[in-house]
Amino acid sequence: MTPESTRTCDVVVIGAGPVGENIADRTTVAGLSTIIVENELVGGECSYWACEPSKALLRPALLRADASHVPGLNPAVAGPLDVAAVLAHRDRMSADWNDAGQVDWLRSAGIELLRGHGRLDGPRSVVVRTPDGDTVRVRARHAVAVCTGSRAALPDLPGLDAVRAWTSREATTARQAPKRLIVVGAGVVGTEMATAWQALGSQVTLLVRGDAVLPRMEPFAGEFVTERLREAGVDVRFDTTVSAAKRVGGAEDDLLVTLSTGEEIAADEILLATGRAPRSEDIGLETVGLVPGDWLTTDDTLTVSAVPGEWLYAAGDVNRRALFTHQGKYQARIVGSVIAARARGTAPDTAPWSGHSSTADVHAVPQVVFTDPEVAAVGLTSVAAERAGRRVEVVDYEIGHLAGALQYRPDYRGRARIIVDPERRTVVGATFAGPGVAELLYSATVVITGEVPLERLWHAVPAFPTISEVWLRLLETYRDRTER
C-alpha cells in the first residue's frame, strides 16, 4: 500500500467544472497557490453532459423550426434532420469528452490539477484518492471551496436499476435516437430534451405531474411551449406520473411503463427529468459537522454558514442558491475575491457594489429555456410577486405585433411580460416567450439589476425593425394604462 503523502497550498478547490475553474483562476491571479481536485473531466457537467451538448442538439431543431416558416426557405427544410450530422456536431461541441484542452488551460493559468476523489477531512484539510489508488492529503492555509455541483434526483421507482433509465447525462450523450422515448418531468431538462429528440426522429411522450409545462415560469410560456410540442408530434399528458416500469423480453429489451392513470405504454427509453440533488454525499461533510448529501447553505460571501472560521466556501449548484452555470461562475468570481481579501487580512466589503456579495442570486437570476419557442425570464414572475406580498402591475405585449418579429417569422407568435413596481417605478421581473427571445434577456437583466426608472427607459431607443422594440411597446402599454 502506498503511504499517504502530504501537500500544502493556499487554496484547495474541490470540483473542476466552470465554477471551480473560475475560483481557482481568481485565487491564482491574486497570488495564492491553488490546487484543484477533479475525479471526472475538467470542465464539468456543463461542458460534457449539460449546456454544451444539449444546446448542440437543440440548435438544428430550433433553426429548422424558424426556417420552415420563412418564405423561400420552407420547402428546403421540409425533410428530416441529418441525425448523424447533428450528433457529430454535439460530439465536437463536447470536445469528444476529452478534457485535454481544459487541462492545458489550467496549466497555462498556473493552476495545479490533482485528479482523484476529494473529501474533506477536518478544517482546511482535503484527502484525495487518486486513480492509481494513492492517497494525497492537501492542507490549505486559507480556504477550501466546494464546487461539486448537482446530479439528477431520481424518484423512488421500484426496479429502477433494472430499467436503465436515462438521466440528463444519457439524454445529452445518446449515440442514436430511440424510436420511442418517455420523458418524465416538464421542467427545463424535460421540455428541452423532448424538443430535441422529437426533432431527431423519436416519438416522445412527455408526462407532466401537474397541469402545466414549465410550472415555475409565467403560465403563458408553458402554454406556448405545450402548443408547439404537440404540433411537432409530442404526446403531452398532464396530471400523469409513472407508477412502475420494467424491461420486458425480446432482443430490443422493450420498456413497459405503467402510468398513474393505470394505462401501460411501451417505449425504448425513459428519461427521468425530475429534479436535481447536490453532489455532496461523499465529500467528507461529516468531518466538519455537516450532513452528507445536504445542500450547503452559505451567506452572501458564499462562506458555508454552519462551519466556523470562514475557511469553507460553496459555489455553484451545491449551495442551491441558483442552479445555473452562469450564476455559478458569478458566485465563483465573488468567492475568489473574498478568499483573496481574507488572505490579505482584509474583511470583505459586503456592499452590493463591492464584488464581494452574491446579490444576483436573489434579485435577478436570468434563465433561458431553449425550446420552440424559446422562453427567457429574469426576476419575479407575477405569481412569485403575489406570494411575496409585493404590490406590482403586470404589463403584457404580443411580440407578433412587431415588424421585427414578422421579419423574423411571418407567423410569429410570442408574448412579453414585465412586472412593474408602481411605487418605485422600476421593472422587477420580465418574461419573454417566442422565437429568438433569448437575446432580449440581458437587457432585461440590466434593467432589473440597475433598477432603471421607467422614465429613463424611455430614452433607451430600440432599433427598428428588431424584436427588441417590444421594450418600447411595453412602456407605451404601461403609460396608456396609467394615464387613463
Side-chain angles (χ1 to χ4, degrees):
M1 182 175 180
T2 304
E4 177 180 289
S5 61
T6 302
R7 303 280 308 281
T8 301
C9 63
D10 292 322
V11 179
V12 179
V13 179
I14 305 176
V19 179
E21 288 178 318
N22 273 270
I23 291 176
D25 185 42
R26 290 298 175 109
T27 55
T28 301
V29 168
L32 301 174
S33 59
T34 302
I35 292 177
I36 194 166
V37 181
E38 177 56 56
N39 69 329
E40 290 191 296
L41 296 176
V42 175
E45 197 81 11
C46 181
S47 297
Y48 306 106
W49 301 287
C51 319
E52 295 287 1
S54 67
K55 302 315 166 280
L57 292 173
L58 285 159
R59 178 58 179 157
L62 301 184
L63 187 59
R64 184 180 68 169
D66 288 339
S68 66
H69 293 263
V70 175
L73 276 178
N74 39 359
V77 297
L81 293 172
D82 184 335
V83 177
V86 173
L87 296 184
H89 170 62
R90 184 270 317 269
D91 293 352
R92 286 191 297 272
M93 293 303 296
S94 304
D96 291 307
W97 293 274
N98 184 319
D99 64 0
Q102 296 288 85
V103 172
D104 287 344
W105 177 83
L106 288 179
R107 189 179 298 112
S108 70
I111 302 165
E112 182 179 348
L113 170 64
L114 182 54
R115 288 198 184 270
H117 180 70
R119 299 183 86 256
L120 293 165
D121 190 33
R124 295 183 177 84
S125 181
V126 175
V127 173
V128 181
R129 187 72 168 175
T130 73
D132 296 331
D134 297 334
T135 300
V136 181
R137 180 180 298 275
V138 186
R139 300 190 184 280
R141 297 185 187 92
H142 298 294
V144 176
V146 176
C147 310
T148 49
S150 65
R151 56 174 175 80
L154 300 179
D156 184 15
L157 192 66
L160 186 60
D161 291 341
V163 169
R164 302 190 302 277
W166 280 7
T167 67
S168 53
R169 284 196 169 196
E170 289 77 20
T172 56
T173 59
R175 307 315 302 174
Q176 61 184 13
K179 292 180 180 179
R180 301 159 300 174
L181 173 65
I182 296 173
V183 178
V184 183
V188 177
V189 172
T191 53
E192 287 190 347
M193 290 298 95
T195 299
W197 288 110
Q198 182 74 29
L200 289 167
S202 299
Q203 174 53 58
V204 175
T205 300
L206 179 64
L207 305 182
V208 187
R209 177 182 293 274
D211 59 0
V213 163
L214 299 175
R216 295 184 181 181
M217 307 190 87
E218 295 285 6
F220 69 81
E223 290 165 7
F224 278 123
V225 172
T226 300
E227 178 183 304
R228 286 294 296 127
L229 284 171
R230 284 177 164 161
E231 288 177 4
V234 176
D235 180 3
V236 182
R237 304 192 184 194
F238 292 103
D239 299 310
T240 306
T241 59
V242 175
S243 57
K246 61 182 178 180
R247 293 281 177 182
V248 293
E252 297 299 319
D253 219 12
D254 283 354
L255 181 67
L256 189 63
V257 176
T258 304
L259 306 181
S260 55
T261 59
E263 181 183 356
E264 288 187 337
I265 57 175
D268 299 284
E269 303 291 351
I270 183 170
L271 164 60
L272 301 177
T274 50
R276 305 292 294 178
R279 289 184 182 274
S280 66
E281 64 276 11
D282 187 23
I283 58 171
L285 293 185
E286 68 280 3
T287 70
V288 293
L290 301 176
V291 178
D294 274 4
W295 302 95
L296 298 184
T297 302
T298 70
D299 62 20
D300 283 347
T301 65
L302 288 315
T303 307
V304 177
S305 307
V307 176
E310 296 183 331
W311 62 270
L312 184 62
Y313 300 80
D317 282 13
V318 76
N319 65 26
R320 208 184 190 180
R321 293 172 69 98
L323 277 66
F324 303 107
T325 297
H326 45 275
Q327 292 297 129
K329 291 164 72 174
Y330 159 78
Q331 294 173 11
R333 295 190 288 271
I334 291 168
V335 170
S337 65
V338 170
I339 290 174
R342 286 175 173 161
R344 293 191 300 265
T346 304
D349 181 356
T350 56
W353 55 84
S354 69
H356 294 150
S357 183
S358 187
T359 58
D361 296 330
V362 177
H363 301 300
V365 177
Q367 177 183 9
V368 179
V369 187
F370 291 90
T371 46
D372 175 23
E374 290 176 344
V375 179
V378 60
L380 293 175
T381 63
S382 53
V383 172
E386 181 180 353
R387 287 175 178 167
R390 296 277 301 263
R391 178 175 170 260
V392 297
E393 295 185 4
V394 177
V395 186
D396 287 346
Y397 191 82
E398 297 301 316
I399 302 175
H401 294 165
L402 300 170
L406 298 178
Q407 291 284 0
Y408 194 97
R409 206 158 130 168
D411 63 343
Y412 194 105
R413 292 195 65 236
R415 185 177 303 165
R417 169 172 291 179
I418 57 173
I419 309 298
V420 175
D421 181 330
E423 295 181 359
R424 302 181 65 194
R425 293 186 64 78
T426 58
V427 177
V428 294
T431 298
F432 309 96
V437 297
E439 298 305 330
L440 292 174
L441 191 56
Y442 187 66
S443 59
T445 305
V446 170
V447 166
I448 295 170
T449 304
E451 300 179 344
V452 182
L454 297 181
E455 290 75 13
R456 290 301 306 158
L457 282 180
W458 279 105
H459 302 283
V461 182
F464 179 88
T466 66
I467 297 175
S468 63
E469 197 180 10
V470 72
W471 278 106
L472 173 60
R473 303 308 175 200
L474 287 164
L475 291 173
E476 289 176 336
T477 302
Y478 184 67
R479 177 203 61 192
D480 293 345
R481 179 193 301 173
T482 56
E483 288 184 355
R484 286 177 191 157

